[in-house]
């Protein structure tokens, strides 16, 4: 519906569309059935802190420092990991899918990619904001995943941000399938769009939340109290890190 409206309002012929990009609210979390493709619950948006008791339990077990050391971000219910854990603990349909190895846990980019292309994938920028990615190995961290009561098989394949993620014709809206060739979390997309392509360049965005993000270059930056480290993007086979301060 959105793409159809865009084509109508812009006057662009559908045959002129050659590639598709996705940008999304980063930590907003969805759980769905791998087999049916149906969502098992409402999405939990990035601002929601209903999973606070889950992060409190992990902190009480003395694991908060481990989580931050591995993922680059302080233990918090704002990130996706605790939201997935909350859904798993509180929603029978999610638990059943988990036990039957039919569960997909993803951010909105992964959900849209799955619905549009059938592929279960995400990009480095979004993966790094779930609080489950190891910033050194660039893979889902099995120890942190286990801390949240999850398995790595419920998480999407992590790809470079300019990968070929799959193809879609938007249910026949386009005359032939077009490639989805770019995925970035919204704040990372803003960093790129503001031409912060060199190390130590920065952008500020104001919206429902506020973000100050700095391109930290190709090496993982040293930890700074109160500042989150993540991946800005993975482009052209190269990883770029970012540091960010947020007001939620």
């Amino acid at each position: 519906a959105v793409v159809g409206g865009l084509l109508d309002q812009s006057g662009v012929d559908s045959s002129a569309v050659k590639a598709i990009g996705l940008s999304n609210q980063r930590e907003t979390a969805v759980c769905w059935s791998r087999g049916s493709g149906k969502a098992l619950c409402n999405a939990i948006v990035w601002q929601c802190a209903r999973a606070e008791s889950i992060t409190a339990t992990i902190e009480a077990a003395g694991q908060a420092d481990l989580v931050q050391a591995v993922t680059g971000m302080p233990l918090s219910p704002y990130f996706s990991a605790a939201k997935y854990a909350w859904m798993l603990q509180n929603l029978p349909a999610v638990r059943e899918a988990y036990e039957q190895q039919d569960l997909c846990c993803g951010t909105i980019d992964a959900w849209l990619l799955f619905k549009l292309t059938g592929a279960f994938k995400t990009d480095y920028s979004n993966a790094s904001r779930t609080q489950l990615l190891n910033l050194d190995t660039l893979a889902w961290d099995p120890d942190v995943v286990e801390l949240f009561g999850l398995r790595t098989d419920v998480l999407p394949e992590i790809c470079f941000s300019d990968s070929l993620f799959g193809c879609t014709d938007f249910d026949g809206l386009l005359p032939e399938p077009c490639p989805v060739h770019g995925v970035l979390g919204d704040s990372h997309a803003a960093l790129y769009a503001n031409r912060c392509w060199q190390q130590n360049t920065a952008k500020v965005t104001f919206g429902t939340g506020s973000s100050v993000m700095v391109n930290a270059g190709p090496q993982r930056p040293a930890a700074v109290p109160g500042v989150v480290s993540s991946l800005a993007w993975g482009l052209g086979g190269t990883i770029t890190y970012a540091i960010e301060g947020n007001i939620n």
Side-chain angles (χ1 to χ4, degrees), residues 68-73 135-136 199-200 214-224 227-232 239-244:
Q68 181 155 12
V70 170
T71 69
M73 49 195 58
L135 289 188
D136 296 313
Q199 187 171 355
N200 297 326
V214 180
N215 181 325
Q219 303 297 324
R220 180 177 178 176
V224 178
V227 175
V228 172
S229 299
S230 67
L231 298 177
I239 291 295
T240 298
Y241 288 85
I243 55 175
E244 184 176 11

Side-chain angles (χ1 to χ4, degrees), residues 112-134:
L112 290 174
L113 285 168
F114 189 89
K115 299 301 287 186
L116 291 171
T117 72
F120 187 33
K121 297 179 178 181
T122 190
D123 92 296
Y124 277 116
S125 70
N126 282 290
S128 71
R129 295 288 296 193
T130 61
Q131 196 149 73
L132 296 171
L133 184 80
N134 187 310

